[in-house]
Amino acid sequence: MTLSSVLIANRGEIALRVIRACRELGIRSILAHSEADRDSLPVRLADQAICIGPAPVKSSYRDSAAIVAAAQLTGADAIHPGYGFLSENSDFVALCEAEEVGFVGPSSEVIRRMGDKIEAKKIARRAGVPTVPGSDGAIADRDEAFRVAEEVGFPLLIKASAGGGGRGLRVVHSPDTLAADLSAIMAEAEVAFGDPSVYIERYLTDIRHIEIQVVSDGTTTLHFGERDCTAQRRNQKLIEEAPSPVIDAETREGLAQAAIALCREVGYVNAGTVEFVYDNPTGEYYFIEMNTRIQVEHPVTEMITGVDLIKLQLRIAGGEALDITQEDITIRGHAIECRVNAEDADQGFAPRPGTIREFRAPGGFGVRLDTHLEGGASIPPFYDSMVGKLICWGRDRDEAIDRALRALGEMRIEGVVTTAGFHEEVLDSPKFRSGVFNTGYIAEFMEERA
Ligand code: ADP
Ligand code: ADP
Ligand code: MG
């Protein structure tokens, strides 16, 4: 069975990205949108659009019942969740399964197991994948936290098992605050994720974030190499690139094989990302979590492999087997992505919603802009502030950076403040250009800049 129609339960650039893949595959796209997005470009470019509720996400993009009902009403074969919102919500996927609506992603069971970071770490250990030293499971009480802290040492990291999007992490620098920090993050996790479970990891202070893109049809599991997402602010990715500018061939292969072993252990199906931290001083790497969905930064992998990952997702969800082998996946050149947010970098990256007065997209060889922006577009205050992704390809890293700088210079977004200028500054900095930095670099850069 191949899919003939897909309901897209998302908005912005990723909704547009899925619409485009559907169009090329001859799949009818139906966009489920909120009232706030009624006039958006994805609504106009989809084959059909259906309003699922008012602006607040709990009554629209996070309303499972409304989205499944929209799929049934429009006769969609499957739902593509994009990223964020319900994309990693196992209850939502279980509802799809119960209602016999297809889902573009793994089963609810796999999402539930991997979405629980404590469980995911256990599975990784079982698969022989190295994990960050820390607690074996959830921290039961203060006594256990102190026991683990003795082994792990300070600084340590308390992580919410259900955390995501850079939230649900807290660094603890000394035993003096451990008890208070533990209570605080458990309370936060309960409110934010409905699950107070937390665990402890050694806080590694000189690391890179390196992740492996995987795709499986249930029989064959392929990897598409790594992405380096070390340029982060507050544990959220800002700039991503591929290949990593620092790792050697042996490490690259070790990471890829670890990711594949993990996927086999859980019976992973569809596209996913296995995330690791790479310790600069030792060259060791450790699994941190798996994202059971397409990721924001998937285009950098597409640019260096020439493979359309969203199409692979849709074809696998339609029951097709992969028609490529690992040997078919070759890496060419280098790609860099800048996440452009409607935020003011000079005001602590405060969100700046509003209306786009004028918009000029950059273009030319090797430039890809994934965005729903256009003149007159509204950036509502209810959602994530990312308004587009600029992805530039080059024969090598230097050319990719030069091209990204050139494209950022061409781009013009009037009406709201964005982080485009900030990206120019970072890309132009000698340390970014050198490729040698760690996850603390953006914070350092901000301090020097101030
Ligand atoms: P990815 O792992 O795909 O690069 P991130 O880790 O940056 O994405 O974020 C994970 C998910 O959380 C994304 O789907 C993103 O849309 C969402 N997200 C990120 N930041 C925020 C935020 N500030 N508020 C709400 N959702 C967010
Ligand atoms: P999320 O679900 O929010 O994406 P992750 O577990 O992927 O959470 O961690 C987000 C980021 O936090 C990582 O990319 C990394 O920069 C940092 N981080 C995670 N674990 C550690 C650790 N043990 N030591 C230091 N930094 C870490
Ligand atoms: Mg992560």
Side-chain angles (χ1 to χ4, degrees):
M1 182 203 81
T2 53
L3 302 176
S4 61
S5 62
V6 166
L7 182 103
I8 300 159
N10 215 301
R11 62 181 305 279
E13 70 84 19
I14 193 65
L16 199 48
R17 173 74 188 85
V18 180
I19 290 167
R20 286 170 171 156
C22 284
R23 178 83 26 89
E24 290 176 23
L25 286 173
I27 296 172
R28 185 173 164 73
S29 59
I30 306 155
L31 184 61
H33 65 90
S34 74
E35 283 167 12
D37 288 328
R38 201 178 282 287
D39 298 322
S40 69
L41 185 60
V43 166
R44 275 177 285 122
L45 288 188
D47 291 316
Q48 188 182 339
I50 178 167
C51 184
I52 47 167
V57 294
K58 69 171 186 355
S59 339
S60 52
Y61 298 109
R62 278 189 191 275
D63 185 337
S64 301
I67 289 166
V68 171
Q72 289 170 328
L73 201 68
T74 56
D77 294 330
I79 297 175
H80 194 302
Y83 51 71
F85 299 133
L86 294 171
S87 61
E88 291 184 279
N89 185 313
S90 59
D91 290 340
F92 170 66
V93 181
L95 178 65
C96 292
E97 288 162 358
E99 295 291 324
E100 295 183 356
V101 172
F103 178 74
V104 183
S107 68
S108 61
E109 171 68 12
V110 166
I111 295 175
R112 191 182 55 69
R113 292 176 69 199
M114 299 313 276
D116 178 335
K117 291 183 177 181
I118 291 172
E119 171 84 6
K121 271 187 90 168
K122 286 185 182 157
I123 296 169
R125 279 189 227 121
R126 215 179 303 140
V129 174
T131 58
V132 186
S135 60
D136 283 331
I139 298 292
D141 51 31
R142 286 175 184 198
D143 289 349
E144 192 181 355
F146 278 100
R147 251 197 329 274
V148 174
E150 202 129 302
E151 286 165 37
V152 168
F154 289 90
L156 57 76
L157 193 58
I158 308 180
K159 300 174 90 166
S161 191
R167 292 161 307 144
L169 306 164
R170 183 179 282 235
V171 183
V172 185
H173 293 279
S174 93
D176 303 344
T177 62
L178 181 58
D181 282 325
L182 182 70
S183 317
I185 193 163
M186 286 177 75
E188 273 169 38
E190 171 78 71
V191 172
F193 315 112
D195 176 2
S197 320
V198 297
Y199 60 108
I200 289 178
E201 274 182 0
R202 176 174 298 158
Y203 182 63
L204 301 163
T205 51
D206 183 7
I207 54 164
R208 299 186 74 103
H209 172 115
I210 300 180
E211 58 187 34
I212 302 289
Q213 175 72 54
V214 293
V215 176
S216 178
D217 61 9
T219 307
T220 306
T221 303
L222 303 176
H223 74 84
F224 291 74
E226 81 280 6
R227 291 185 288 262
D228 191 316
C229 316
T230 301
Q232 302 183 350
R233 181 178 164 271
R234 298 193 172 168
N235 303 310
Q236 286 187 5
K237 300 159 186 169
L238 276 190
I239 301 172
E240 303 97 341
E241 60 183 300
S244 169
V246 299
I247 62 173
D248 59 23
E250 194 191 329
T251 304
R252 177 165 287 128
E253 188 57 20
L255 285 162
Q257 292 313 320
I260 286 179
L262 180 62
C263 289
R264 294 216 172 107
E265 183 71 33
V266 285
Y268 197 81
V269 180
N270 217 295
T273 299
V274 183
E275 297 191 332
F276 299 87
V277 288
Y278 172 83
D279 190 45
N280 284 322
T282 60
E284 300 284 327
Y285 51 82
Y286 308 98
F287 167 78
I288 51 169
E289 66 153 345
M290 179 165 192
N291 290 145
T292 55
R293 54 170 166 88
I294 197 71
Q295 274 186 303
V296 173
E297 61 273 23
H298 75 276
V300 295
T301 300
E302 295 183 325
M303 298 293 272
I304 61 164
T305 59
V307 176
D308 185 321
L309 292 169
I310 306 285
K311 282 188 186 170
L312 279 189
Q313 281 197 299
L314 292 164
R315 290 170 54 197
I316 289 167
E320 280 182 56
L322 283 164
D323 59 0
I324 49 173
T325 66
Q326 192 63 57
E327 287 67 48
D328 295 325
I329 302 164
T330 53
I331 306 294
R332 199 166 148 263
H334 198 97
I336 293 187
E337 171 181 279
C338 298
R339 297 189 186 196
V340 179
N341 292 350
E343 293 174 355
D344 189 346
D346 295 326
Q347 302 292 323
F349 292 85
R352 289 286 182 265
T355 301
I356 305 298
R357 227 179 21 248
E358 200 187 315
F359 175 64
R360 179 171 67 210
F365 183 31
V367 176
R368 166 175 173 182
L369 186 72
D370 279 20
T371 186
H372 59 294
L373 286 189
E374 56 182 341
S378 112
I379 312 298
F382 313 103
Y383 312 115
D384 196 278
S385 55
M386 196 180 75
V387 295
K389 308 180 306 204
L390 174 70
I391 308 103
C392 290
W393 180 88
R395 278 165 310 165
D396 54 28
R397 188 170 186 270
D398 274 323
E399 189 179 47
I401 293 174
D402 292 337
R403 192 163 273 158
L405 284 167
R406 188 269 292 167
L408 284 163
E410 273 176 35
M411 186 160 68
R412 193 157 147 201
I413 304 173
E414 304 284 350
V416 300
V417 178
T418 78
T419 54
F422 179 75
H423 280 294
E424 280 186 80
E425 290 179 46
V426 174
L427 293 185
D428 213 18
S429 69
K431 199 155 177 178
F432 186 86
R433 182 71 79 163
S434 78
V436 183
F437 52 89
N438 62 30
T439 51
Y441 176 55
I442 297 294
E444 250 170 62
F445 178 84
M446 290 300 295
E447 245 168 61
E448 277 166 28
R449 183 175 178 268

